[in-house]
Amino acid sequence: MGRVYGNGKGMASSALPYRRKPPTWVKMKTEDVCDHICKLAKKGLAPSQIGVTLRDSFGIPQVRSVTGNKILRILKANGLAPTLPEDMYFLIKKAVAIRKHLDKNRKDKDSKFRLILVESRIHRLARYYKRVKSLPATWKYVSATASALVA
């Protein structure tokens, strides 16, 4: 399967270990990991950044193997989940940055084209998230108000 916007046909991805139990060298308890996740979320970190911090600072390879739940599910249980899904948030952030660039550089045709691609990706994702009820059915991406969503 190829990429939506690009010529790559890559299959590269990391493979999870076959064993679902945490490695023997992980000594943290489930409650401690959940507390760390909540603390990092209150600081304003995104779920993927929380995973990276736990991996690099606390030596937790997979939160799911230690706690039995994924990071986002733990955040939802504690009422700390972000309102916008993370991938949607970063796409909107990118679209806002491109639009800001286009305000200064009107003749940049390539950026205009890339903005169209990014915004069509946002609309496609929004359709998916409305279908799975992660976004309300009335939610709509409007480029004029997008910077308020990201700020």
Side-chain angles (χ1 to χ4, degrees), residues 17-26 61-62 64-68:
Y18 180 70
R19 286 183 50 191
R20 291 210 175 104
K21 292 181 180 135
T24 52
W25 45 265
V26 175
Q62 284 288 320
R64 186 169 164 221
S65 66
V66 177
T67 62

Side-chain angles (χ1 to χ4, degrees), residues 2 7 13-14 24-25 30 38 42 58 64-66 77 84 121 135 142:
N7 300 328
S13 63
S14 59
T24 52
W25 45 265
T30 304
C38 291
K42 284 175 186 166
F58 301 101
R64 186 169 164 221
S65 66
V66 177
L84 269 179
R121 232 178 296 169
L135 282 176
V142 181

Side-chain angles (χ1 to χ4, degrees), residues 2 9 11 29 35 39 59-60 67 77 95 97 106 112 115 117 127 139-140 146:
K9 293 192 176 79
M11 287 286 290
K29 291 190 170 65
D35 291 341
K39 274 184 205 160
I60 298 166
T67 62
R106 286 257 179 243
K112 191 175 180 183
L115 177 66
L117 296 186
R127 225 177 22 238
W139 190 89
K140 195 167 171 73

Side-chain angles (χ1 to χ4, degrees), residues 31 53 60 72:
E31 298 82 32
T53 306
I60 298 166
L72 196 60

Side-chain angles (χ1 to χ4, degrees), residues 76 83 85 125-137:
K76 279 181 184 169
T83 52
L125 252 183
R127 225 177 22 238
Y128 165 74
Y129 281 129
K130 284 178 190 176
R131 192 173 69 235
V132 297
K133 310 250 189 306
S134 292
L135 282 176

Side-chain angles (χ1 to χ4, degrees), residues 91-108:
L91 275 176
I92 292 173
K93 194 173 176 182
K94 184 185 270 190
V96 167
I98 295 172
R99 208 167 271 285
K100 186 179 172 189
H101 168 80
L102 276 173
D103 287 342
K104 291 178 193 163
N105 308 287
R106 286 257 179 243
K107 286 193 144 188
D108 192 350

